[in-house]
């Protein structure tokens, strides 16, 4: 190994890689929790130490140069290696202290996790918990989170998962809405209802049609990608919505629709973490408590 030839700083390399992957200096600065000027200086310092130009600056845009593209493959390999080092080290930390990031859908984050976190704070006060409340699948291998609650079994050999109890869902409306509009009881009744859409309307229509529910996009005058917003709309009497039975159990303002012939809505729940992080005591404490409470 020619150590003298390796003169650049890993932090500068990390700043370059983050800038490429985030697309802007401001995005990279947010991802690395740095100020934009600091990150810009790190990228410039890397260019100076390597004596190459990595980006062409066109207005407010950054265009990767050919030299930058040639370097990118090697830098990504360094990033993966650094990530593996971090994972391996984290896996050997046995103190129940530090940060644990949990990735979970926004509805679960708002309505299910708070009671579990109360217990976790009592039993492991040295932990700092960050909730990544998003309805997309976080990349655990890239450390976007330490633990994830998902509706699918992990298929990556680097991840391990524990099957939780299946979730169930039903059609709900507020009691005030049902008193005003009547209580639907047949599949045909659903065709006339105003519903609160979660996700894109075409996808909602497709999923409900597969279950024999005769709806179209006209049934969804209000829609959102945020399940917390959708549930609040249902709770406040704006229409009928599909909701988790577990969440509805804690919402006395709503009532489940009793629809003849409607099959139960079920979905799997999985608790997932990285294989190496499972050996970390702080991760294990959170993982096991979530498994117990949700299992």
């Amino acid at each position: 190994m020619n150590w003298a030839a390796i003169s650049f700083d890993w932090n500068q390399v990390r700043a370059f890689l983050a800038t490429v992957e985030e697309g802007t200096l401001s995005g990279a600065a947010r991802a690395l929790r740095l100020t934009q000027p600091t990150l810009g200086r790190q990228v410039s310092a890397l260019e100076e130490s390597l004596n190459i130009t990595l980006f062409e600056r066109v207005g407010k845009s950054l265009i990767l140069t050919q030299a930058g593209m040639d370097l990118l493959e090697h830098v990504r390999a360094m990033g993966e290696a650094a990530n593996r080092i971090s994972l391996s080290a984290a896996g050997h930390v046995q103190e129940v202290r530090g940060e644990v990031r949990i990735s979970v859908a926004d509805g679960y984050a708002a309505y299910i996790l708070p009671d579990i976190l109360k217990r976790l704070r009592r039993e492991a006060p040295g932990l700092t918990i960050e909730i990544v409340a998003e309805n997309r699948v976080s990349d655990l291998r890239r450390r976007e989170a330490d633990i994830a609650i998902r509706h699918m079994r992990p298929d990556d050999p680097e991840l391990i998962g524990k099957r939780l109890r299946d979730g169930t869902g039903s059609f709900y409306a507020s009691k005030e809405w049902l008193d005003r509009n009547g209580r639907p009881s047949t599949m045909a009744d659903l065709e006339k209802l105003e519903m609160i859409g979660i996700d894109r309307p075409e996808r909602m229509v497709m999923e409900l049609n597969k279950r024999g529910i005769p709806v179209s996009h006209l049934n969804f005058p209000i829609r959102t990608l945020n399940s917390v917003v959708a549930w609040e709309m249902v709770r406040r009497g704006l229409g009928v919505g599909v909701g988790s039975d577990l969440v509805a159990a804690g919402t006395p303002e709503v009532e489940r629709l009793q629809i003849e012939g409607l099959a139960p809505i079920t979905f799997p729940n999985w608790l997932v973490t990285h294989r190496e992080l499972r050996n970390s005591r702080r991760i294990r404490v959170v993982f096991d408590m979530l498994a117990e409470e949700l299992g």
Side-chain angles (χ1 to χ4, degrees), residues 191-204:
E191 187 175 4
K192 309 166 192 172
L193 299 182
E194 288 191 352
M195 299 185 180
I196 307 300
I198 307 174
D199 209 339
R200 301 298 179 191
E202 60 274 11
R203 192 168 170 189
M204 284 285 295

Side-chain angles (χ1 to χ4, degrees), residues 26-246:
S26 58
R30 285 192 299 271
L32 296 181
R33 300 180 182 180
L34 300 173
T35 65
Q36 185 172 330
T38 297
L39 185 127
R41 284 194 296 270
Q42 290 182 348
V43 172
S44 296
L46 181 62
E47 291 179 316
E48 185 176 343
S49 65
L50 297 177
N51 196 28
I52 59 176
T53 300
L54 299 171
F55 295 104
E56 291 180 359
R57 291 153 177 83
V58 181
K60 294 185 178 180
S61 300
L62 294 177
I63 308 298
L64 199 60
T65 65
Q66 185 60 51
M69 287 188 281
D70 292 342
L71 194 65
L72 184 58
E73 179 183 353
H74 305 294
V75 168
R76 281 197 168 126
M78 287 181 66
E80 289 293 331
N83 191 44
R84 287 193 295 271
I85 292 169
S86 179
L87 282 168
S88 181
H92 291 285
V93 173
Q94 294 305 306
E95 187 179 15
V96 187
R97 184 173 297 277
E99 182 177 280
V100 179
R101 305 183 79 211
I102 304 172
S103 171
V104 60
D106 49 24
Y108 255 64
Y111 301 116
I112 306 301
L113 280 192
D115 287 339
I116 300 174
L117 294 181
K118 286 181 184 178
R119 176 187 167 192
L120 185 60
R121 290 294 302 141
R122 288 195 306 269
E123 298 184 14
L127 291 178
T128 300
I129 306 298
E130 180 176 344
I131 304 300
V132 183
E134 295 181 336
N135 293 328
R136 69 177 184 90
V137 177
S138 293
D139 190 339
L140 299 187
R141 292 191 63 180
R142 299 184 64 182
R143 301 299 300 277
E144 291 182 351
D146 300 310
I147 298 172
I149 301 171
R150 297 177 175 173
H151 298 314
M152 65 187 78
R153 181 175 187 166
D155 56 7
D156 190 319
E158 294 298 316
L159 303 179
I160 57 173
K162 181 178 179 62
R163 181 76 179 260
L164 306 172
R165 65 174 176 264
D166 286 352
T168 60
S170 308
F171 283 95
Y172 287 92
S174 72
K175 294 176 182 178
E176 175 264 328
W177 188 95
L178 292 169
D179 290 341
R180 189 174 70 247
N181 293 280
R183 283 165 169 75
S185 60
T186 68
M187 299 285 267
D189 290 338
L190 294 177
E191 187 175 4
K192 309 166 192 172
L193 299 182
E194 288 191 352
M195 299 185 180
I196 307 300
I198 307 174
D199 209 339
R200 301 298 179 191
E202 60 274 11
R203 192 168 170 189
M204 284 285 295
V205 169
M206 180 181 69
E207 290 298 325
L208 294 178
N209 286 171
K210 283 196 300 188
R211 295 176 177 273
I213 301 168
V215 296
S216 72
H217 70 281
L218 298 176
N219 292 91
F220 300 97
I222 300 176
R223 49 187 180 264
T224 175
L225 296 179
N226 187 300
S227 58
V228 175
V229 172
W231 187 246
E232 287 301 304
M233 297 291 184
V234 172
R235 188 177 72 82
R236 295 184 182 219
L238 274 79
V240 173
V242 178
S244 160
D245 292 335
L246 193 59

